[in-house]
Amino acid sequence: MTVFILRRVLQAILVLAITSLIVFLGVYAIGDPLEILLPADATMAERAQVAASLHLDQPLPLQYLNFVSSALQGDFGRSFVYNRPALEVIFERLPATLELVTTSLVLSLVIGLPLGLWAGMKPGSLTDESVMTGSILGFSLPNFWQGMMLIMIFSVWLGWLPSTGRGDTGTVLGLHTSYATWDGFVHLLLPALNLAMAQIALVIRLTRTGVQETMPLDFVKYARARGLSERRILFVHVLKTILIPIVTVLGIEFGSLIAFAVVTETIFAWPGVGKLIIDSINMLDRPVVVAYILVIVTMFILINLIVDVLYSLLDPRIRSRA
Amino acid sequence: MTSIALLKGEGMVPRIARGMLGSPKATLAFIVCLVLILAAVFAPMIAPQNPYDLNEIDFFDAKLPPMSEGYNGMTYILGTDGQGRDMFSAMLYGLRTSLAVGVTAGVLAMVVGTAMGLLAAYRGGAIDSVIMRFVDLMLGFPTILVALMILVVFGQGVDKVILALVFVQWAYFARAVRATALVESGKEYAEAARCLGIPAWRIMFAHILPNCLPPLIVIGTIQVASAIAAEATLSFLGIGLPITQPSLGLLISNGYQVMLAGLYWMSVYPGLLLLVLVFSVNIVGDRLREILNPRLAQ
């Protein structure tokens, strides 16, 4: 077991090291930040001074070594645009993204579970057919276009919900959140629904399959024999069984929601890390781009590592295979 | 090709055709796919104007709503964009670009993934574990993040977008091909071929690969749909195709700038076309899975 975990941790570190090298080299191959930072009439002396202050005048391998040693101490350099530590800029924006992602996860359960149960109860029926076709539609709807249609319908035509921005935030129990104010809450609805759409489709499919697999089992028959109502069997006994794999999958999906938030945040001008990365790519803000990618990749590696370790604890067969 | 492969190959086409016709939904989706592919291929002949020939577009016709008549007497059924370009024509050309990028990426990913999957299956050992660890790693990351990283590293362009999509998608094919190939190579016909002294690579490519086709066809269809959607997303974010090669995603992105001002047709119609395209390819893929999966096709 210890060997297994140790091996996985080493692999994770290796992946992180390779990613950092590729991203560092790649980011340095595009554009020259001096072109953007300096006015067109800057003298050579001014250029050299700025280049030296940002360590852009050193040879590449040296820059990479400097970069790694300071990155390990949590220092990814200063953002060229904000003139503040890149990591600080990212962590300042992260709560807004996390709020969006958690709201989406809750939404996907609240909407997906009932629809999946409904479809699963009557396999082959018209309800089942339409819910399942609807879920393919949920997968097929390009995320960005679906978001635009939400804005079009709910903001432009109906005028019910605001289209962009985060609105007012307040403080609840020390957390800075949109839930604290009504304005913040209504601003959150459309982006969260947009991000949740694919997850809703996923939850529907998982729930339907789960219901269909669980209904013929003996414990359901026993519950029926005890005279429990069909509703109680479905919502208490069956739901309890199928919720475990669904929650596991949603846990894994958490990371990919953070990545997909890039699209949602761009459409709804949501001030999270996703919008930050797209802006930073366009403005060639290297430290922020590099820091973002490494933070997200680290997070993914951690999530995958935790899932791997948990699975191997639960299922000893995996250990022997790895 | 051996006779076994030929027999299998001949049996598969009628089986797919019968299965498709068995579901009205899938038949309709298949017809829609076919029409869209034909429309993309023959776009220059169908389109009322060449939307990227400056002589043919009239700036005075800019921002016209659908069904309005332009200065030159032409009726723009889906309206015009900010430069007076006929939206219908622009969408046909956009469809061409989207399909070309999606299909190229899907096919390349299939070739790379199949080669890697077969290599892993017949070499086994260290090569197998290195390839499969890498596949696991790739599948652990969301498409959009990996594509974003590649485009940040290599920059914009059609070739880079295709590279990013192939890099993201080959792992799905590799995993499926390896799993099928391992099962197939344990069967008697593979055993017999080995006894005849046929070299391992030949057994893999000529005997086992044809039997890996069913899962490959299913994954290939679904991955083409996801490649088209991914390209559109990247172009929408402004890090995909360059402005000189407008795909449906780029058209939608351009239309988005003016959508809140009420000029809905510039983004809604290309979006609908993209949706219909991706949706019908996915329906066909879903049906193919039902037809070709022996466990489901009872």
Side-chain angles (χ1 to χ4, degrees), chain A residues 270-285:
Chain A
W270 187 262
V273 280
K275 180 145 175 42
L276 178 70
I277 177 71
I278 296 295
D279 291 346
S280 301
I281 290 174
N282 288 332
M283 289 189 281
L284 299 180
D285 194 351

Side-chain angles (χ1 to χ4, degrees), chain A residues 8 133 140 145 152 267 300, chain B residues 25 133 142 256 264 267 271 282:
Chain A
R8 279 297 149 93
T133 309
S140 308
W145 188 70
M152 194 75 206
I267 307 166
F300 261 97
Chain B
K25 191 174 74 181
R133 285 306 316 162
Y256 181 56
Y264 66 93
S267 52
N282 271 337

Side-chain angles (χ1 to χ4, degrees), chain B residues 80-163:
Chain B
T80 60
D81 74 356
Q83 276 92 47
R85 190 169 289 135
D86 176 37
M87 276 314 293
F88 179 63
S89 310
M91 278 163 59
L92 281 173
Y93 277 76
L95 182 69
R96 218 171 137 88
T97 313
S98 286
L99 260 177
V101 171
V103 171
T104 313
V107 169
L108 281 179
M110 188 190 280
V111 172
V112 174
T114 306
M116 294 306 250
L118 283 180
L119 185 69
Y122 90 81
R123 292 304 284 272
I127 291 179
D128 183 26
S129 32
V130 167
I131 292 178
M132 290 326 283
R133 285 306 316 162
F134 197 52
V135 165
D136 284 346
L137 187 75
M138 291 300 306
L139 295 179
F141 286 88
T143 314
I144 188 91
L145 182 69
V146 179
L148 195 89
M149 272 167 61
I150 293 174
L151 291 174
V152 163
V153 171
F154 292 105
Q156 274 194 347
V158 179
D159 47 340
K160 275 99 172 188
V161 170
I162 292 176
L163 176 80

Side-chain angles (χ1 to χ4, degrees), chain B residues 212-243:
Chain B
C212 297
L213 277 181
L216 269 181
I217 293 173
V218 175
I219 300 176
T221 318
I222 291 170
Q223 290 304 317
V224 165
S226 103
I228 293 172
E231 175 274 312
T233 306
L234 293 169
S235 298
F236 176 77
L237 291 174
I239 51 174
L241 295 186
I243 199 89

